[in-house]
Amino acid sequence: MLKLFFTIVFFHTVLSAQEKLLDSAALSHQKTYTSLAEALKEPWKVYKLSLQYQHIASVPAQLSQLKNLQILDLSNNGISEVSDVIGPLQNLQVLDLSFQVSPSQPNYNDVVPLPCLNKLSPAIGKLTHLTHLYLHGHAVAPVVLMQIVSKDI
């Protein structure tokens, strides 16, 4: 009976910790994970994930397991398309897709990088808590942004 009680308390704690939106002060005290594998070990604890400079070619589908994720940095990779994989990240407040360069470039740090991000999913416009979308280093037409954004970002 006692074991059942502790099991119920454990699952209640885990479930109540999920999908909790933090303010910037609380977020500043959260750990920033730099490995997706590490983040997936305890996905309910992940509020900030930085996968910059990891030569990623597409947005990892496993991100959808990170229900509390609120800051996602995918900058300086080789992502050409942001698919609907981003849609389940309903608590996302900050998304950094800056400086996506073609993986065919011999050096990611070339002086004149060739931007390769050319498609943003309309799912970004449905991220109701998104307040910052960083696209530095890309010539994204305002028309494209208007198609994906359903509110002021």
Side-chain angles (χ1 to χ4, degrees):
M1 184 68 171
L2 190 59
K3 185 177 180 180
L4 176 62
F5 172 75
F6 284 116
T7 302
I8 292 170
V9 169
F10 171 76
F11 282 112
H12 174 69
T13 303
V14 168
L15 291 175
S16 64
Q18 290 182 350
E19 302 187 28
K20 180 179 169 187
L21 197 63
L22 302 179
D23 62 24
S24 59
L27 275 172
S28 69
H29 296 290
Q30 295 297 317
K31 174 182 178 177
T32 299
Y33 288 80
T34 57
S35 160
L36 183 57
E38 179 188 3
L40 292 172
K41 289 178 183 175
E42 297 178 305
W44 61 91
K45 290 185 176 182
V46 181
Y47 290 88
K48 301 187 313 187
L49 178 63
S50 177
L51 299 177
Q52 60 181 344
Y53 293 105
Q54 294 193 17
H55 302 281
I56 297 170
S58 62
V59 178
Q62 299 93 329
L63 288 178
S64 64
Q65 297 176 40
L66 306 176
K67 302 296 184 195
N68 288 324
L69 188 61
Q70 295 175 36
I71 298 176
L72 176 58
D73 184 352
L74 294 171
S75 64
N76 298 289
N77 281 295
I79 297 170
S80 62
E81 178 179 326
V82 177
S83 66
D84 291 343
V85 167
I86 210 86
L89 302 176
Q90 289 301 305
N91 285 329
L92 203 60
Q93 297 181 52
V94 177
L95 175 59
D96 192 345
L97 296 166
S98 299
F99 305 110
Q100 301 299 324
V101 296
S102 174
S104 63
Q105 283 185 256
N107 181 358
Y108 270 64
N109 297 320
D110 283 348
V111 176
V112 183
L114 303 173
C116 73
L117 182 63
N118 56 35
K119 184 176 180 191
L120 297 172
S121 169
I124 291 175
K126 295 180 178 145
L127 298 173
T128 57
H129 297 291
L130 189 67
T131 57
H132 296 81
L133 174 61
Y134 296 105
L135 298 169
H136 301 290
H138 301 289
V140 179
V143 173
V144 173
L145 287 177
M146 291 303 293
Q147 290 172 349
I148 64 164
V149 178
S150 61
K151 65 177 196 73
D152 293 333
I153 291 184

